[in-house]
């Protein structure tokens, strides 16, 4: 009897327990349903968790950081509501760290099938454009704060260093392109017989291409992505740079270098935008400054290769007299190698996750951020750590009016229509750079970029010509002058160099397998003379007379016979093109070595700027560097010797590099993500415009006076530095 009573009591107790558990589960499921509905409503609320702590406690979507992870406040409820990443697991299921849980679905605030969105806001179609833009601005501010926390969770490690070296190769290619102009200029113009009136166009045309390229590729990167634009622009640069080494005509060579410059013009604005978007705030200033060092490495690479290759005129081959491939063309090919390496390496890197978020691609951004997190954690020896971010804020995507194209239209018309649409989008984004609150910053940045570039490129690109003029003055001081000499029945089979023959007579003389270098004959006579296999550089016959003379396989033509008379004489198999055949021309070694030293002098300034960028501030470094470099540039006026000029050049380069690094960082941080590439591209285009003007102005004055260009460069640098001090400080800013 007692046993039966005990069994009945146990049965009743078990039934009560089951009923109690069923009631608890029903309450739990109801709580989940309410939470989901509340989440639908909260997705449309403005982000206010950073306004005060009271609102933070009441906001369901607030992200809290616990032990280095982010989770919703609802996850701390007593019954333990599950997140999207773990939804579908029972309470007793165990989720191990490192277990793949899939891409969390982004909640866009729209009701799903079978759901009712509580508190649905007013339809977008009933809102004005300004209201939608204000909502997007609030979303971007929320994203900026959250993205900073996400990058802190991802950490700084192997991924950033991999991207650092890949983007460094692209930036190195930009530095190489700039220095190639100055190094190739004298040799290319001599090889292609360019008259003095055409000299300098090579430097100008390359910078002109870089100017348009910076604006176009920078703007396009805000539309289609950082990686894709950088890949295309670098490919264009590499292909046309390689092609330019083989073309023979000067006009075709100019075209190839212009398109090559157009391609590399996108490197600087895209590289800094791309890298800044994977860096946390405390790392951004320092590591962007370290990235600038690759531009210096590009200059050192170009200087070293020019020093090692160009003066070796024997490193050449020819196919008849029409096709010449001299050593400077080998140098052009070698300088294209960093660009090719950058293109190959860039194919293995992902797109900027911040760009994905800005364009509404939540899942793609989440996957890239997870890849960054996992790569860094594996490198730290912590592969079990899980990327805990479930939802990332997406700014409101504003609809744009797009003209529709007929599907049956001609394919060529479709391409043209697509290009027109992209150009229109770039222009509209550019115009937004002049809207409040970035309008004043855009004007100030453009001024600083222009002044800094005008002083730097104006002096640097044409500095080899300054050295050449100093050497020419010294060379001219050692000229040998022969007056009223008479030479009969003599064979010249050696080089005549740096001589002037005035009122001389050459009778029955033979000039065989010889070279004239900087030799001038004035009012001289050549009677019954024989010229065979003669080459000349910088040599002229002025008011001379040739009687019964024979010329075979020489380069003596009308351009070298100034006001001279040729009587009963003949020319056979004349050499075509300009000759570069003097192996003993060591002046080129000195010019390239000087540029190598000037570029190497940048290294201390790079290190100092990287270490102090976050300590003394971007603006102090920018203004101070420009003012000091302007003062050092002014003292170049007093340089009367090569050694003094070289010392002042190294000092100027070392001081100005800090201004370049600071300006790159400030420009990156001042523009929001949706305009960063466009704004940076516009500023860099102003930089290249200043380079074109500096190239033309300084080049026209370098042979006349050095006072005006140096004084001009000094004044604009000091003025630009004072403007730079009025820019807003960005040290404490998150990346908008």
């Amino acid at each position: 009897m007692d046993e039966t009573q005990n069994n009945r009591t146990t049965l009743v107790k078990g039934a009560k327990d089951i009923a109690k558990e069923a009631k608890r589960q029903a309450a739990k499921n109801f709580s989940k349903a309410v939470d989901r509905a509340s989440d639908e409503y909260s997705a449309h609320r403005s982000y206010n968790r950073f306004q005060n702590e009271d609102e933070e406690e009441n906001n369901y979507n607030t992200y809290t950081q616990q032990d280095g992870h982010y989770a919703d406040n609802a996850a701390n409820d007593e019954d333990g509501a599950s997140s999207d990443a773990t939804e579908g697991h029972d309470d007793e299921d165990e989720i191990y760290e490192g277990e793949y849980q899939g891409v969390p679905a982004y909640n866009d605030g729209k009701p799903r099938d079978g759901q009712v969105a509580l508190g649905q806001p007013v339809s977008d179609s009933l809102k004005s454009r300004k209201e939608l833009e204000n909502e997007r601005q609030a979303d971007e501010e929320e994203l900026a704060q959250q993205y900073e926390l996400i990058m802190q969770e991802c950490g700084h490690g192997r991924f950033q260093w991999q991207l650092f070296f890949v983007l460094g190769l692209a930036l190195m290619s930009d530095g190489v392109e700039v220095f190639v102009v100055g190094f190739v200029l004298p040799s290319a113009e001599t090889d292609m017989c360019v008259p003095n009136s055409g000299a300098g166009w090579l430097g100008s045309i390359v910078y002109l291409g870089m100017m348009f390229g910076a604006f176009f590729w920078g703007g396009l990167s805000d539309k289609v992505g950082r990686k894709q634009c950088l890949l295309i622009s670098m490919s264009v640069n590499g292909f046309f740079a390689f092609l330019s080494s083989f073309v023979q005509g000067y006009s075709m060579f100019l075209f190839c270098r212009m398109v090559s410059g157009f391609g590399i013009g996108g490197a600087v604005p895209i590289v800094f935008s791309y890298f800044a978007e994977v860096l946390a705030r405390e790392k951004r200033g320092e590591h962007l400054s370290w990235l600038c060092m690759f531009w210096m490495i590009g200059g050192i690479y170009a200087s070293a290769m020019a020093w090692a290759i160009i003066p070796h005129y024997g490193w050449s081959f020819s196919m008849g007299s029409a096709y010449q491939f001299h050593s400077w063309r080998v140098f052009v090919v070698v300088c294209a190698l960093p660009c090719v390496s950058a293109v190959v390496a860039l194919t293995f890197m992902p797109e900027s996750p911040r760009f994905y978020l800005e364009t509404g691609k939540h899942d793609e951004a989440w996957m890239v951020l997870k890849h960054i997190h996992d790569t860094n954690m594996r490198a730290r020896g912590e592969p079990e750590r899980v990327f805990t971010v479930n939802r990332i804020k997406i700014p409101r995507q504003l609809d744009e009016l797009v003209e529709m194209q007929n599907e049956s239209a001609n394919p060529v018309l479709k391409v043209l229509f697509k290009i027109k649409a992209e150009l229109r989008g770039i222009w509209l984004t550019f115009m937004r750079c002049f809207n409040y609150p970035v309008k004043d910053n855009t004007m100030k940045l453009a001024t600083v970029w222009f002044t800094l570039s005008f002083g730097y490129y104006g002096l640097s690109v044409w500095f080899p010509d300054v050295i050449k003029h100093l050497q020419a003055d010294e060379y001219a001081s050692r000229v040998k002058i022969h007056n009223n000499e008479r030479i009969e029945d003599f064979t010249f089979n050696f080089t005549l160099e740096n001589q002037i023959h005035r009122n001389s007579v050459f009778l029955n003389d033979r000039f065989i397998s010889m070279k004239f270098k900087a030799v001038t004959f004035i009012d001289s006579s050549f009677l019954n003379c024989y010229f065979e296999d003669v080459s000349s550089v910088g040599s002229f016959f002025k008011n001379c007379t040739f009687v019964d003379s024979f010329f075979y396989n020489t380069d003596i033509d009308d351009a070298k016979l100034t006001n001279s008379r040729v009587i009963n004489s003949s020319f056979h198999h004349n050499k075509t093109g300009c000759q570069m055949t003097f192996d003993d021309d060591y002046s080129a070694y000195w010019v390239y070595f000087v540029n190598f030293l000037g570029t190497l002098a940048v290294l201390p300034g790079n290190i100092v700027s990287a270490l102090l960028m976050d300590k003394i501030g971007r603006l102090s470094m920018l203004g101070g560097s420009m003012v000091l470099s302007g003062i050092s540039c002014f003292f170049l006026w007093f340089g009367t010797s090569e050694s003094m000029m070289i010392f002042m050049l190294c000092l100027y380069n070392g001081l100005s590099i800090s201004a370049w690094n600071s300006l790159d960082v400030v420009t990156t941080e001042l523009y929001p993500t949706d305009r960063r590439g466009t704004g940076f591209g516009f500023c860099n285009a102003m930089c290249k415009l200043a380079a074109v003007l500096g190239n033309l102005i300084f080049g026209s004055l370098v042979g006349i006076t050095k006072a005006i260009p140096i004084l001009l460069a000094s004044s604009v640098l000091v003025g630009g530095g004072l403007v730079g001090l009025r820019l807003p400080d960005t040290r404490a800013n998150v990346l908008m």
Side-chain angles (χ1 to χ4, degrees):
M1 187 68 178
D2 292 339
E3 184 177 351
T4 301
Q5 183 67 28
N6 289 338
N7 290 338
R8 181 179 299 175
T9 302
T10 302
L11 262 170
V12 171
K13 185 177 180 181
K16 288 181 179 180
D17 290 339
I18 292 174
K20 185 178 180 180
E21 180 65 16
K23 183 178 180 181
R24 191 177 73 84
Q25 289 294 333
K28 179 179 176 181
N29 291 336
F30 177 79
S31 176
K32 287 183 179 181
V34 172
D35 286 340
R36 288 195 190 98
S38 300
D39 187 50
E40 297 292 337
Y41 169 69
S42 341
H44 293 279
R45 296 179 59 188
S46 61
Y47 188 80
N48 56 10
R49 66 187 177 92
F50 294 96
Q51 295 177 0
N52 55 66
E53 294 182 357
D54 294 336
E55 291 178 348
E56 180 175 326
E57 293 175 357
N58 297 326
N59 192 346
Y60 173 79
N61 283 326
T62 300
Y63 288 86
T64 58
Q65 186 172 355
Q66 301 171 352
D67 299 328
H69 306 297
Y70 302 98
D72 292 342
N73 284 342
N76 297 324
D77 291 345
E78 182 180 357
D79 292 328
S82 60
S83 66
D84 284 356
T86 60
E87 190 172 356
H89 291 271
D90 294 333
D91 292 342
E92 298 176 356
D93 287 347
E94 196 169 350
I95 301 177
Y96 298 96
E97 295 228 38
E99 177 184 356
Y100 177 69
Q101 300 168 26
V103 180
Y106 172 66
N107 181 10
D108 58 2
K110 297 180 181 179
R112 299 182 179 87
D113 294 338
Q115 292 184 341
V116 177
L118 301 180
Q120 180 69 24
V122 179
S123 173
D124 290 349
S125 60
L126 301 179
K127 296 181 180 179
S128 66
R129 180 77 178 184
K130 186 174 182 179
E131 289 177 330
L132 295 175
E133 289 178 351
N134 290 337
E135 290 184 10
R136 178 179 172 84
Q137 178 67 24
D139 291 345
E140 288 176 343
E141 293 175 0
E142 178 181 347
L143 172 61
Q145 300 290 344
Q146 184 189 358
Y147 191 81
E148 179 65 29
L149 297 175
I150 294 174
M151 292 312 304
Q152 290 177 7
E153 179 179 349
C154 291
H156 188 91
R158 176 179 293 175
F159 176 85
Q160 280 83 0
W161 286 112
Q162 289 174 348
L163 187 62
F164 174 81
F165 286 106
V166 172
L167 297 180
L169 286 174
L171 198 59
M172 177 181 172
S173 302
D174 182 82
V176 169
E177 187 77 15
V178 170
F179 282 88
V180 164
V181 175
F183 294 153
V184 168
L185 189 61
S187 300
E189 290 174 346
T190 301
D191 189 17
M192 298 178 181
C193 304
V194 180
N196 291 333
S197 59
W201 275 109
L202 176 58
S204 300
I205 205 72
V206 169
Y207 286 117
L208 199 63
M210 296 175 76
M211 179 182 71
F212 287 105
F215 182 78
F216 175 77
W217 297 114
L220 195 63
S221 69
D222 286 333
K223 308 294 291 182
V224 302
R226 318 300 192 203
K227 174 188 172 182
Q228 186 174 351
C229 274
L230 189 58
L231 266 175
I232 299 174
S233 66
M234 296 299 294
S235 300
V236 170
N237 170 250
F239 176 77
F240 282 94
F242 184 78
L243 183 63
S244 69
S245 66
F246 295 96
V247 299
Q248 293 294 300
Y250 190 61
S251 58
M252 190 63 186
F253 182 75
L254 284 178
F255 173 76
C256 289
R257 296 311 304 186
M258 181 185 69
V259 180
S260 173
F262 177 79
I264 199 63
V268 172
I270 299 177
V271 161
F272 284 101
S273 300
Y274 193 173
F275 195 50
E277 290 168 359
V278 295
L279 294 174
R281 177 174 52 192
E282 65 271 11
K283 299 287 186 180
R284 197 163 54 235
E286 177 183 352
H287 287 270
L288 286 176
S289 299
W290 288 123
L291 184 64
C292 295
M293 190 173 293
F294 279 94
W295 198 93
M296 174 205 69
I297 295 173
I300 293 177
Y301 175 81
S303 302
M305 292 299 101
W307 186 23
I309 296 174
I310 294 180
H312 293 281
Y313 300 120
W315 292 16
S316 62
F317 67 89
S318 61
M319 294 175 14
S321 59
Y323 189 86
Q324 305 285 334
F325 195 91
H326 292 297
S327 56
W328 68 267
R329 297 180 181 273
V330 178
F331 167 71
V332 172
V333 172
V334 171
C335 285
L337 296 180
C339 179
V340 175
S341 303
V343 170
V344 173
L346 194 61
T347 58
F348 298 97
M349 304 308 297
E351 179 58 84
S352 165
R354 185 60 186 272
F355 171 78
Y356 276 147
L357 292 172
E358 199 69 29
T359 54
K361 299 179 180 179
H362 175 273
D363 293 351
E364 292 87 342
W366 189 89
M367 289 298 293
V368 174
L369 289 169
K370 184 178 185 302
H371 169 69
I372 296 174
H373 175 274
D374 293 347
T375 301
N376 292 339
M377 293 304 109
R378 285 194 299 268
R380 293 180 183 180
E382 303 176 8
E384 72 281 356
R385 291 197 64 178
V386 176
F387 182 57
T388 59
V389 176
N390 295 328
R391 296 188 186 94
I392 308 175
K393 184 66 179 179
I394 297 294
R396 175 180 291 276
Q397 303 301 303
L398 301 180
D399 296 331
E400 296 182 0
L401 294 176
V402 179
E403 181 183 354
M404 300 302 294
Q405 179 73 6
N406 190 350
E407 291 295 331
S408 61
N410 189 299
V412 176
L413 294 179
K414 288 184 178 181
V415 173
L416 294 177
F417 177 80
K418 180 67 174 177
I419 295 175
K420 177 183 175 182
E422 293 296 343
L423 291 176
R424 181 177 180 273
I426 293 173
W427 178 256
L428 292 176
T429 306
F430 169 65
M431 295 307 296
R432 291 176 60 216
C433 293
F434 292 91
N435 293 342
Y436 180 82
V438 297
K439 177 181 178 180
D440 291 341
N441 295 338
T442 298
M443 301 301 295
K444 293 175 184 177
L445 283 172
T447 302
V448 177
W449 275 95
F450 186 91
T451 54
L452 181 58
S453 174
F454 185 83
Y456 181 84
Y457 286 106
L459 293 177
S460 298
V461 172
W462 282 94
F463 189 78
D465 277 2
V466 176
I467 297 294
K468 284 175 60 179
H469 276 80
L470 291 173
Q471 291 178 334
D473 292 341
E474 182 184 359
Y475 189 74
S477 66
R478 294 185 281 108
V479 65
K480 296 179 181 179
I481 301 177
H482 303 274
N483 293 317
N484 301 317
E485 62 180 349
R486 182 182 178 89
I487 301 176
E488 296 184 25
D489 199 23
F490 185 81
T491 300
F492 294 87
N493 55 4
F494 50 87
T495 299
L496 294 180
E497 180 180 358
N498 198 18
Q499 299 179 8
I500 296 178
H501 296 265
R502 186 178 287 111
N503 296 322
S504 301
V505 176
F506 298 88
L507 180 61
N508 297 325
D509 293 327
R510 293 163 298 278
F511 300 84
I512 301 175
S513 299
M514 62 147 327
K515 302 168 184 176
F516 291 119
K517 181 179 180 182
V519 178
T520 303
F521 296 92
I522 303 174
D523 298 325
S524 299
S525 300
F526 296 84
L527 307 176
N528 197 26
C529 292
Y530 180 79
F531 297 82
E532 180 182 353
D533 194 19
V534 176
S535 299
S536 61
V537 170
S539 300
F540 301 94
F541 300 85
K542 299 180 179 180
N543 299 321
C544 295
T545 302
F546 296 86
V547 179
D548 297 328
S549 297
F550 184 85
F551 298 83
Y552 181 82
N553 192 29
T554 70
D555 62 354
I556 300 174
D557 53 17
D558 292 339
K560 298 179 180 180
L561 301 176
T562 306
N563 297 327
S564 297
R565 295 183 300 164
V566 179
I567 302 173
N568 198 25
S569 300
S570 59
F571 295 80
H572 300 274
H573 299 285
N574 265 21
K575 297 179 180 180
T576 59
C578 298
Q579 307 301 313
M580 302 175 61
T581 57
F582 297 120
D583 297 329
D584 55 346
D585 184 9
Y586 294 105
S587 61
Y589 283 99
W590 184 241
V591 172
Y592 304 137
F593 181 66
V594 167
N595 279 274
F596 177 81
L597 291 178
T599 310
L600 194 62
V602 170
L603 180 60
N606 255 316
I607 296 175
V608 170
S609 63
L611 295 178
L612 300 181
M613 184 66 69
D614 292 319
K615 293 181 173 60
I616 68 175
R618 288 91 157 111
L619 302 186
S620 300
M621 186 170 293
L622 173 62
S625 176
M626 289 188 69
V627 171
L628 291 177
S629 60
I631 295 174
S632 68
C633 171
F634 175 78
F635 281 104
L636 286 171
W637 188 5
F638 303 101
T640 56
S641 63
E642 289 184 51
S643 57
M644 182 64 178
M645 291 289 289
I646 293 170
F647 171 76
M648 295 306 299
L649 174 72
C650 293
L651 179 62
Y652 167 71
N653 286 350
L655 291 173
S656 62
I657 190 61
S658 297
W660 283 111
N661 294 359
S662 305
L663 191 55
D664 290 331
V665 175
V666 170
T667 306
T668 304
E669 294 176 336
L670 277 180
Y671 284 105
T673 302
D674 61 343
R675 283 165 280 180
R676 183 169 296 119
T678 305
F680 206 130
F682 168 69
C683 292
N684 201 250
M686 296 300 297
C687 165
K688 297 308 185 289
L689 175 62
V692 172
L693 296 177
N695 193 1
L696 295 176
I697 294 173
F698 285 40
S700 62
L701 297 173
V702 71
I704 302 173
T705 176
K706 63 181 180 181
I708 296 177
I710 291 176
L711 187 61
L712 183 61
S714 177
S715 59
V716 298
L717 283 170
V718 173
L722 296 178
V723 174
L725 291 173
R726 299 182 64 84
L727 287 166
D729 192 4
T730 57
R731 263 189 298 180
N733 291 3
V734 294
L735 208 59
M736 290 296 297

